[in-house]
Amino acid sequence: MTTSEQIRVLCVRTGISLSELARRINQTPQNFNAKLKRNTVTQEELNLIAKVLDARYEQYFVLSNGEQVK
């Protein structure tokens, strides 16, 4: 699942529209939708999305020895 797809699912599960999410992160709905289409949402934006939706965003690698690279 792409990051854009994850954000769309997140909106459905939290009961807010993509437009409302865009406004909450201080972006226009048009600009945010374009980022979703291009799949160019930044790490900082993902962290902000998690913050405004009272969620936690985790992205990291786990090596075969169990070590995490965050």
Side-chain angles (χ1 to χ4, degrees):
M1 181 180 302
T2 67
T3 301
S4 295
E5 291 170 332
Q6 289 175 332
I7 292 170
R8 292 177 195 281
V9 169
L10 181 64
C11 284
V12 169
R13 292 194 182 168
T14 58
I16 69 164
S17 67
L18 286 171
S19 295
E20 176 61 23
L21 177 58
R23 286 187 279 276
R24 289 185 187 188
I25 62 170
N26 300 315
Q27 292 190 28
T28 64
Q30 295 84 357
N31 182 56
F32 188 59
N33 191 48
K35 287 183 177 191
L36 291 177
K37 284 183 179 179
R38 293 188 313 262
N39 204 27
T40 58
V41 180
T42 67
Q43 184 70 41
E44 293 79 20
E45 290 166 329
L46 294 170
N47 291 328
L48 182 57
I49 290 168
K51 182 178 178 180
V52 301
L53 295 180
D54 193 29
R56 191 173 70 228
Y57 179 73
E58 299 176 356
Q59 181 177 349
Y60 51 87
F61 295 97
V62 179
L63 300 174
S64 60
N65 65 3
E67 181 182 357
Q68 295 179 355
V69 178
K70 293 186 178 183

